[in-house]
Each structure stands twice: as C-alpha cells, then as structure tokens.
Coordinates of all heavy atoms in Angstrom, one line a residue:
H1 N 127.4 99.9 111.0 CA 126.4 99.8 112.0 C 126.4 101.0 112.9 O 125.2 101.5 113.2 CB 126.6 98.5 112.9 CG 125.7 98.5 114.1 ND1 124.4 98.2 114.1 CD2 126.0 98.6 115.4 CE1 123.8 98.3 115.2 NE2 124.8 98.5 116.1
A2 N 127.5 101.6 113.2 CA 127.6 102.7 114.1 C 127.5 104.1 113.5 O 127.7 105.1 114.2 CB 128.9 102.5 114.9
H3 N 127.2 104.1 112.1 CA 127.0 105.3 111.4 C 128.2 106.2 111.4 O 128.1 107.5 111.5 CB 125.8 106.1 112.0 CG 124.5 105.3 111.9 ND1 123.3 105.8 112.3 CD2 124.2 104.0 111.4 CE1 122.3 104.9 112.1 NE2 122.9 103.9 111.6
R4 N 129.4 105.6 111.3 CA 130.7 106.4 111.3 C 131.2 106.5 109.9 O 131.1 105.5 109.2 CB 131.7 105.7 112.3 CG 131.2 105.8 113.7 CD 132.3 105.2 114.6 NE 133.6 105.9 114.5 CZ 134.7 105.4 115.3 NH1 134.7 104.4 116.0 NH2 135.8 106.2 115.2
D5 N 131.8 107.5 109.6 CA 132.6 107.8 108.4 C 134.0 107.5 108.6 O 134.8 108.3 109.1 CB 132.3 109.2 107.8 CG 133.0 109.5 106.5 OD1 133.7 108.5 105.9 OD2 132.9 110.6 106.0
I6 N 134.5 106.3 108.2 CA 135.8 105.9 108.4 C 136.5 105.5 107.0 O 136.2 104.5 106.5 CB 136.0 104.6 109.4 CG1 135.2 104.9 110.7 CG2 137.4 104.3 109.6 CD1 135.2 103.7 111.7
P7 N 137.2 106.5 106.5 CA 137.8 106.2 105.3 C 138.9 105.1 105.3 O 139.1 104.3 104.3 CB 138.6 107.5 104.9 CG 137.9 108.6 105.7 CD 137.4 107.9 107.0
A8 N 139.6 104.9 106.4 CA 140.6 103.9 106.4 C 141.1 103.7 108.0 O 141.5 104.7 108.5 CB 141.8 104.1 105.5
I9 N 141.2 102.6 108.4 CA 141.9 102.1 109.6 C 142.7 100.8 109.4 O 142.1 100.0 108.7 CB 140.9 102.0 110.8 CG1 140.3 103.4 111.3 CG2 141.7 101.3 112.0 CD1 139.5 103.3 112.5
I10 N 143.9 100.8 109.8 CA 144.6 99.5 109.7 C 144.6 98.9 111.0 O 145.1 99.4 112.0 CB 146.1 99.8 109.1 CG1 146.0 100.5 107.8 CG2 146.8 98.4 109.0 CD1 145.4 99.7 106.7
I11 N 144.2 97.6 111.0 CA 144.2 96.8 112.3 C 145.1 95.5 112.0 O 144.6 94.7 111.2 CB 142.8 96.4 112.7 CG1 142.0 97.6 112.9 CG2 142.8 95.5 114.0 CD1 140.5 97.4 113.1
G12 N 146.3 95.5 112.5 CA 147.2 94.5 112.0 C 147.6 94.7 110.6 O 148.1 95.7 110.1
R13 N 147.2 93.7 109.7 CA 147.4 93.8 108.3 C 146.1 94.1 107.5 O 146.0 94.1 106.3 CB 148.0 92.5 107.8 CG 147.1 91.2 108.0 CD 147.8 90.0 107.4 NE 147.7 90.0 106.0 CZ 146.6 89.7 105.2 NH1 145.5 89.4 105.9 NH2 146.6 89.7 103.9
T14 N 145.0 94.2 108.3 CA 143.7 94.3 107.7 C 143.2 95.8 107.5 O 143.4 96.5 108.5 CB 142.6 93.5 108.5 OG1 143.0 92.3 108.7 CG2 141.3 93.6 107.8
L15 N 142.8 96.1 106.4 CA 142.2 97.5 106.2 C 140.7 97.4 106.5 O 140.0 96.6 106.1 CB 142.4 97.9 104.7 CG 141.7 99.2 104.2 CD1 142.2 100.4 104.9 CD2 141.7 99.3 102.7
L16 N 140.3 98.5 107.3 CA 138.8 98.6 107.7 C 138.3 100.0 107.1 O 139.0 101.0 107.3 CB 138.6 98.4 109.2 CG 137.1 98.7 109.6 CD1 136.8 97.7 110.7 CD2 136.8 100.0 110.0
V17 N 137.2 99.9 106.5 CA 136.5 101.2 106.2 C 135.0 101.1 106.7 O 134.5 100.0 106.9 CB 136.6 101.4 104.6 CG1 137.9 101.5 104.1 CG2 135.8 100.2 103.9
D18 N 134.4 102.3 106.7 CA 133.0 102.3 107.1 C 132.4 103.5 106.4 O 132.9 104.6 106.5 CB 132.8 102.6 108.6 CG 131.4 102.4 109.2 OD1 130.5 102.8 108.4 OD2 131.3 101.9 110.3
P19 N 131.4 103.2 105.5 CA 130.9 104.3 104.7 C 129.7 105.1 105.3 O 128.7 105.4 104.5 CB 130.3 103.5 103.4 CG 130.0 102.2 104.0 CD 130.9 101.9 105.2
S20 N 129.7 105.4 106.6 CA 128.7 106.1 107.2 C 127.3 105.4 107.1 O 127.2 104.2 107.3 CB 128.7 107.6 106.6 OG 127.9 108.4 107.3
Y21 N 126.3 106.2 106.8 CA 125.0 105.6 106.8 C 124.0 106.4 105.9 O 124.4 107.5 105.4 CB 124.3 105.6 108.2 CG 124.0 107.1 108.8 CD1 122.7 107.4 109.0 CD2 125.1 107.9 109.1 CE1 122.4 108.7 109.5 CE2 124.7 109.2 109.6 CZ 123.4 109.5 109.7 OH 123.2 110.8 110.2
K22 N 122.9 105.7 105.6 CA 121.9 106.3 104.7 C 122.5 106.7 103.3 O 122.0 107.6 102.6 CB 121.2 107.5 105.3 CG 120.3 107.1 106.5 CD 119.6 108.4 107.0 CE 118.7 108.0 108.2 NZ 117.9 109.2 108.7
G23 N 123.5 105.9 102.9 CA 124.1 106.1 101.5 C 124.8 107.4 101.4 O 125.2 107.8 100.3
A24 N 125.2 108.0 102.6 CA 126.0 109.3 102.5 C 127.4 109.1 101.9 O 128.0 110.0 101.4 CB 126.2 109.9 103.9
R25 N 127.9 107.9 102.0 CA 129.2 107.6 101.5 C 129.2 106.3 100.7 O 128.4 105.4 101.2 CB 130.3 107.5 102.5 CG 130.6 108.8 103.3 CD 131.2 109.9 102.5 NE 131.5 111.0 103.3 CZ 130.6 112.1 103.5 NH1 129.4 112.0 103.0 NH2 131.0 113.1 104.2
V26 N 130.0 106.1 99.8 CA 130.3 104.8 99.2 C 131.8 104.5 99.3 O 132.6 105.3 98.9 CB 129.9 104.7 97.7 CG1 130.4 103.5 97.1 CG2 128.4 104.9 97.6
S27 N 132.1 103.3 99.9 CA 133.5 103.0 100.1 C 134.1 102.4 98.8 O 133.6 101.4 98.4 CB 133.8 102.1 101.3 OG 133.5 102.7 102.5
K28 N 135.1 103.0 98.3 CA 135.8 102.4 97.1 C 137.2 102.0 97.5 O 138.0 102.8 98.1 CB 135.9 103.5 96.0 CG 136.7 103.0 94.8 CD 136.8 104.3 93.8 CE 137.6 103.9 92.6 NZ 137.7 105.0 91.6
I29 N 137.5 100.8 97.3 CA 138.9 100.3 97.6 C 139.5 99.6 96.4 O 138.9 98.7 95.8 CB 138.8 99.2 98.8 CG1 138.1 99.7 100.0 CG2 140.2 98.8 99.2 CD1 136.6 99.4 100.1
I30 N 140.6 100.1 96.0 CA 141.3 99.5 94.9 C 142.5 98.6 95.5 O 143.3 99.1 96.3 CB 142.0 100.6 94.0 CG1 140.9 101.5 93.4 CG2 142.9 100.1 93.0 CD1 141.5 102.8 92.7
L31 N 142.4 97.4 95.0 CA 143.4 96.4 95.5 C 144.3 96.1 94.3 O 143.8 95.7 93.2 CB 142.7 95.1 95.9 CG 141.8 95.2 97.2 CD1 141.2 93.8 97.5 CD2 142.4 95.8 98.4
T32 N 145.7 96.1 94.5 CA 146.6 95.7 93.5 C 147.2 94.5 93.9 O 147.8 94.3 95.1 CB 147.7 96.8 93.4 OG1 147.1 98.1 93.0 CG2 148.7 96.4 92.3
L33 N 147.1 93.4 93.0 CA 147.6 92.1 93.5 C 148.8 91.7 92.5 O 148.9 92.2 91.3 CB 146.5 91.1 93.3 CG 145.5 91.2 94.4 CD1 144.3 92.1 94.1 CD2 144.9 89.8 94.8
H34 N 149.7 90.8 93.0 CA 150.7 90.3 92.2 C 150.8 88.9 92.4 O 150.6 88.3 93.5 CB 152.0 91.0 92.7 CG 153.3 90.4 92.1 ND1 153.7 90.6 90.8 CD2 154.2 89.5 92.6 CE1 154.8 89.8 90.5 NE2 155.1 89.3 91.5
K35 N 151.0 88.1 91.3 CA 151.1 86.7 91.4 C 152.5 86.1 91.4 O 153.2 86.5 90.6 CB 150.3 86.1 90.2 CG 149.9 84.6 90.4 CD 149.0 84.1 89.3 CE 148.4 82.7 89.6 NZ 147.5 82.2 88.6
E36 N 152.7 85.4 92.4 CA 154.1 84.9 92.7 C 154.0 83.5 93.2 O 153.3 83.2 94.1 CB 154.8 85.8 93.6 CG 156.3 85.4 93.8 CD 157.0 86.4 94.7 OE1 156.4 87.4 95.1 OE2 158.2 86.1 95.0
N37 N 154.7 82.6 92.5 CA 154.7 81.1 92.9 C 153.2 80.6 92.9 O 152.8 79.9 93.8 CB 155.3 80.9 94.3 CG 156.8 81.3 94.3 OD1 157.5 81.1 93.3 ND2 157.2 81.8 95.4
N38 N 152.5 81.0 91.9 CA 151.2 80.6 91.6 C 150.2 81.0 92.8 O 149.1 80.4 92.9 CB 151.0 79.0 91.5 CG 149.9 78.7 90.6 OD1 149.5 79.3 89.7 ND2 149.3 77.5 90.9
E39 N 150.6 82.1 93.5 CA 149.7 82.6 94.6 C 149.5 84.1 94.4 O 150.5 84.9 94.2 CB 150.3 82.3 95.9 CG 149.5 82.6 97.1 CD 150.1 82.2 98.5 OE1 150.7 81.1 98.4 OE2 150.0 82.9 99.4
W40 N 148.3 84.6 94.6 CA 148.0 86.0 94.5 C 148.3 86.6 95.8 O 147.9 86.2 96.9 CB 146.6 86.3 94.1 CG 146.2 86.0 92.7 CD1 145.6 84.9 92.2 CD2 146.6 86.8 91.6 NE1 145.5 85.0 90.8 CE2 146.1 86.2 90.4 CE3 147.2 88.0 91.4 CZ2 146.3 86.6 89.1 CZ3 147.4 88.4 90.1 CH2 146.9 87.8 89.0

C-alpha cells in the first residue's frame, strides 16, 4: 500500500515483505516445512 520495497522484516515470529509498487518487484518466499507428530 505504501509503495515500499521491503525484502524482509521480522515482527515477532512473522516474516513481512513488501514488493514496492507498479510491479517493480515480485516477492519470492521459500518456506521449508518439517512434519512432526502429524503437524507441519
């Protein structure tokens, strides 16, 4: 919304990204998950 290029900010345990505006950036986030006790 604010037209900012933010590759990564951590707020608590949450990752936040902002891909700027007008298609100038595309945010790509790779998540690696592990299943333990039937929970990802």
Side-chain angles (χ1 to χ4, degrees):
H1 172 70
H3 299 182
R4 295 180 63 181
D5 181 0
I6 303 176
I9 289 180
I10 302 296
I11 302 171
R13 60 175 290 277
T14 306
L15 170 67
L16 177 141
V17 299
D18 190 324
S20 191
Y21 68 112
K22 292 186 177 180
R25 299 288 185 273
V26 170
S27 291
K28 175 182 177 182
I29 305 98
I30 299 174
L31 301 178
T32 302
L33 288 89
H34 173 70
K35 197 169 189 179
E36 187 175 353
N37 297 324
N38 208 34
E39 184 175 325
W40 287 103

